[in-house]
Amino acid sequence: MTAPRLEVRLDRIHDNARTLVELLAVRGVAVTGVTKAALGSPEIARELLSAGVSSIGDSRIENIERMRQLGLSTEFTLIRSPMISQADRVVAQADVSHNTEIEVIAGLSSAAQRQNRAHGVLLMVELGDLREGILPAQLEYAVRRTLGFPNIVFRGIGTNLACQNGVSPDQENMGVLSSLASSLEATFGLSVGIVSGGNSASLGWALNSPNLGRVNRLRLGESILLGKDPLHGTPVPGLHTDAFSLVGEIVEFQRKPTLPWGQIQQAAFGPPPPRNDRGVISQVIVALGHQDVDPTGLQAPAGLSILGASSDHLILSAGQTRISVGSEVRFQVNYSALLRAMTSPFVAKSFSGGSG
Ligand SMILES: *Cc1c(COP(=O)(O)O)cnc(C)c1O
C-alpha cells in the first residue's frame, strides 16, 4: 500500500451525519453538510446526502464544480463570500452563496442575467466573532438592495461564530438572529426561508437550548467528519471520532540520545522543541511532514510520542521498543491535520465502507 495515505471510513461518516440529521430534525433544524475540510470529496458528499443532509456547502467553487461534474445533485451553497472575479462560475455551479457585500451581489446579478439563471443569496450577519458579516444595524439596507437586483433571490440570513475570536453561540446572539429574521419579515412582507445558526460550534446550543427561535439550519463539517465539538474540543456523544486516520511509513529507526549536541539555534520550523534527558531511546522517523499534514494535529498510537517535525520528517520516540524500518504507523487527526492531509497531493486517499 502507498504511504502516506489517509484512510477514510465512509460508513462512520454516514453514521455521524445520520445521527446529527435525526437529532436536529426533532428540533426543526435542517443540516447543510460542509465538505471543505475534505477537499469537496464527492465520496463523502454522497454519504452526507444519503444520510439526509438538505444541501452541501463548501467554501471553494472548485470543489462545488467537481462535485457537480461527478454527478452529485443537490442544492450547493458557496459558504464563503464569492470573489467578484469568480461571479460567473459561482452563478453557473452554486445555487446559493453567502454574501456580505452589495458589490458582490451586483456582480452575481449581472452574471445571473447573462446566464439567464436565478442565484440565491444568503446574507451573513456579524454577531460578534468579527469574521464575515453585515452589522445588524445595516442588515435592512442590505436586504432592500438585494431585493432590487434582477435574477437574485433572497434566501435568508445566517451567522458564523467561534472561528475568529471564539465567540460562542448563546441565547443572546442567537436571539438577535431570530429577531432580525422576524423584523425583516415585518418590514418587507416576505418570508425569510433560511435562518442559518452557525457551524459545528453551534451544535451544543442547538441540541440543548430550550428555545431555538427562528433558527432552522446549521452548517456542519467538523462534527460530522471528526465527531468533535470544536467549541470544547470534546467528542460529541454517539458519534465516531475515528472516521479518518493517517498512515505513514518508518524510514529510520536508530537508538539515539534524547539530547542534541552542538550550538543550538533556530530549527527549521522555529525554536527547537524542549527535550528532557531520558538517556538513549529508540528514535523513529516517519516519512511525513508539514507538506503532508499539520504535525501538531496528529495523535500518535500508544507507545509512540511525537518529538517534532520538519517539511518531510516526523520524529518520534518509541521509548525502548524496537520497530522495523518499512513498517507503518497510524495516527488520529484533528481538523487542521485533516484539512492539510486532504489537500496535500503527497497523501493518497483510501476510502472504504461506502454505501455505494
Ligand atoms: C467552515 C465553515 C462551516 C463549517 O464549520 P465546521 O466547524 O467544520 O462545522 C460553516 N460555515 C462557514 C461559513 C464555514 O466557513
Side-chain angles (χ1 to χ4, degrees), residues 266-294:
Q266 290 279 308
F269 286 82
R275 296 222 175 180
N276 312 318
D277 190 1
R278 282 176 283 115
V280 171
I281 55 159
S282 298
Q283 182 179 288
V284 173
I285 298 181
V286 175
L288 264 181
H290 287 269
Q291 298 202 69
D292 308 289
V293 70
D294 175 358

Side-chain angles (χ1 to χ4, degrees), residues 34 36 79 98 131-132 160 199-200 219-222 335:
V34 175
K36 71 177 186 227
I79 60 172
H98 285 190
R131 204 179 74 175
E132 78 274 34
N160 196 68
N199 55 42
S200 293
R219 311 174 305 272
L220 302 180
E222 179 167 3
Y335 187 80

Side-chain angles (χ1 to χ4, degrees), residues 161-219:
L161 294 173
C163 276
Q164 166 70 12
N165 286 299
V167 171
S168 49
D170 55 26
Q171 279 319 106
E172 178 145 357
N173 48 34
M174 289 293 119
V176 171
L177 191 66
S178 287
S179 48
L180 286 168
S182 302
S183 76
L184 290 174
E185 292 182 343
T187 306
F188 296 104
L190 47 71
S191 128
V192 175
I194 301 173
V195 182
S196 187
N199 55 42
S200 293
S202 294
L203 188 60
W205 173 81
L207 292 178
N208 297 305
S209 162
N211 178 9
L212 300 190
R214 298 288 310 271
V215 171
N216 60 12
R217 181 72 68 109
L218 288 187
R219 311 174 305 272

